[in-house]
């Protein structure tokens, strides 16, 4: 075998030659100088490495096209719509709660100049979250409320406001980790508070809190364990008992509730979920919860409680660093209004998805069966299957919602690589479709599908592949 000639790198144009060439004008108009230059450097680097394995130098036109494609791909990232058929309603990786159409419209309407911190009646400065505060108070019975970036921020603000340089008493059974990066002891340390653990993992009594009280106690705190459940020989102190202890000793009490449904979910035959209004009624001074879990709103942390507690939170300089922007306030206001309307599940997608009965989803699956089979071709067997969806985001971890959907299996060979291939092809669609692989099939859970046409129109773009 003869040696191949060394790569002719001198045939590659330079970045500046490419930038000055006439055909680059379209690229520069589209992306600007900095991005184009950066992309050309990348594609020239890639060309050099393929030339090292004997491929001839690409033409200038090919390099410009590659730079365009590179920029297209790099900037295509970032929140883009997907079809969540994963069976997890509130999927943190997929942006949690979908907003209602009214909340979406409110976001768009708030994009320009708004009366964010301006009172149109008096012409004076106003409070940015006044509307949502009024709604939260009316819906939960709180004296006052405040809104911050997310629930982690709400907890940080509470701990820093009442626990800075002091002790915060928490039960050992409630020192939880939520979603990997949110751990109560870590947040506590960053908030400048000292953790005082009381009780044991499975049992904590009121006397454990009472015995730990001292001159440097700043706060008594309870945390809803959210994504795990204590069963068996367990005991925890009720909110009312803790609130009473706090009041008797003049120590504020806080409850990190997590998911925050405003309705009693037992009304819909779902397990009980603690509600902020119940915690306030029990006498807790400040309750924190997420706006984008069961509440079905935008990402935000909601703090409801006594006027005294909320005033103290608002005075903390950290509040300014954790505050929420006008777009999310617009969405939150709309979401809260919908909770009080008759049949809120007609307005709030999260609630609607939570309550969809299996028979409705089975009917949807039956209607989709033939057209989806037709779109996928002979290489795939499509079946209607009963499924179980979950709430997600740490809410109701033990709840399984009876659901239905489609199972896609290759007609020949083992499922392994074929399933991964189909999953990748579905992710590559203009509206990426996200199912889950389980039981040797790609499962599409229809609980969160609004209209069958959405899925069919999307699948029409699927290139025919044999498994
Ligand atoms: C989800 C959750 C958090 C974190 O809330 P984010 O809104 O994700 O910041 C904190 N505490 C509890 C109990 C939770 O369930």
């Amino acid at each position: 075998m003869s040696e191949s000639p060394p790569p002719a790198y001198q045939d590659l144009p330079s970045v500046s030659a490419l930038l000055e060439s006439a055909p680059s004008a379209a690229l520069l108009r589209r992306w600007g100088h900095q991005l184009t230059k950066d992309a050309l450097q990348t594609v020239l680097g890639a060309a050099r490495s393929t030339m090292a394995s004997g491929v001839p130098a690409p033409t200038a036109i090919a390099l410009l096209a590659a730079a365009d494609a590179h920029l297209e791909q790099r900037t295509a990232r970032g929140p883009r719509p997907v079809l969540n058929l994963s069976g997890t309603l509130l999927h943190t990786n997929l942006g949690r709660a979908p907003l209602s159409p009214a909340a979406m419209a409110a976001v768009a309407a708030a994009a320009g100049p708004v009366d964010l911190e301006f009172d149109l009646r008096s012409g004076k400065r106003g409070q940015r979250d006044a509307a949502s505060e009024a709604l939260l108070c009316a819906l939960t019975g709180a004296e006052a409320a405040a809104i911050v970036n997310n629930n982690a921020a709400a907890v940080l603000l509470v701990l820093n406001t009442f626990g800075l340089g002091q002790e915060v008493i928490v039960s050992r059974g409630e020192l939880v980790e939520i979603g990997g990066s949110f751990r109560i002891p870590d947040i506590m340390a960053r908030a400048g508070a000292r953790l005082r653990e009381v009780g044991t993992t499975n049992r904590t009594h009121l006397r454990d809190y009472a015995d730990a009280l001292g001159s440097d106690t700043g706060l008594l705190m309870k945390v809803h364990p959210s994504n795990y459940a204590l069963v068996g020989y367990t005991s925890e102190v009720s909110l009312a008992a803790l609130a009473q202890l706090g009041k008797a000793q003049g120590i504020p009490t806080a409850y990190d509730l997590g998911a925050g449904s405003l309705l009693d979910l037992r009304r819909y035959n779902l397990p009980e979920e603690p509600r902020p209004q119940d915690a306030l009624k029990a006498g807790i001074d400040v309750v924190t919860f997420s706006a984008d879990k069961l509440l079905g709103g935008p990402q935000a942390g909601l703090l409801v409680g006594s006027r005294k507690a909320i005033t103290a939170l608002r005075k903390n300089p950290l509040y300014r660093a954790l505050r929420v922007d006008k777009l999310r306030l617009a969405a939150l206001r709309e979401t809260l209004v919908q909770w009080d309307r008759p049949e809120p599940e007609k307005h709030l997608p999260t609630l609607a998805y939570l309550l969809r009965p299996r028979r409705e989803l089975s009917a949807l699956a039956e209607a989709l069966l033939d057209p989806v089979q037709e779109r996928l071709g002979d290489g795939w067997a499509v079946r209607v299957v009963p499924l179980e969806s979950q709430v997600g985001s740490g809410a109701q971890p033990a709840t399984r919602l009876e659901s239905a959907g489609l199972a896609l299996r290759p007609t020949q060979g083992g499922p392994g690589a074929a399933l991964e291939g189909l999953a990748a092809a579905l992710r590559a669609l203009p509206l990426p479709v996200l199912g889950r692989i389980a039981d040797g099939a790609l499962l599409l859970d229809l609980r969160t599908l609004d209209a069958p046409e959405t899925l069919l129109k999307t699948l029409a773009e699927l290139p025919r592949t044999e498994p």
Side-chain angles (χ1 to χ4, degrees), residues 96 150-152 178 182 223-224 226 256-258 290 292-293 393:
R96 289 194 184 160
N150 55 13
N151 191 32
I178 290 149
F182 179 88
V223 181
H224 186 262
S226 291
D256 177 22
L257 183 152
S290 300
D292 57 352
K293 293 185 180 173
S393 287

Side-chain angles (χ1 to χ4, degrees), residues 206 220 237-247 253 282:
L206 190 63
L220 294 167
V237 170
S238 73
L239 289 168
L242 195 72
Q244 209 176 9
L245 178 65
K247 289 209 193 325
T253 49

Side-chain angles (χ1 to χ4, degrees), residues 297-317:
Q299 180 191 303
L302 310 179
L303 302 123
V304 293
S306 68
R307 177 157 315 281
K308 188 171 166 213
I310 299 294
T311 303
L313 292 164
R314 282 187 188 273
K315 280 198 185 132
N316 186 330

Side-chain angles (χ1 to χ4, degrees), residues 312-361:
L313 292 164
R314 282 187 188 273
K315 280 198 185 132
N316 186 330
L318 268 185
Y319 174 67
R320 170 65 179 77
L322 303 174
R323 76 182 184 188
V324 71
D325 68 289
K326 62 179 181 173
L327 300 181
R328 287 187 283 154
L329 284 170
L332 179 61
R333 186 251 172 221
E334 222 50 48
T335 306
L336 290 171
V337 165
Q338 284 159 349
W339 271 98
D340 205 37
R341 294 210 175 127
E343 302 185 282
E345 68 275 13
K346 295 233 164 94
H347 308 286
L348 294 159
T350 299
L351 207 47
Y353 293 157
L354 191 67
L355 301 179
R356 278 177 111 177
R358 175 174 273 169
R359 66 189 137 69
E360 180 189 327
L361 300 168

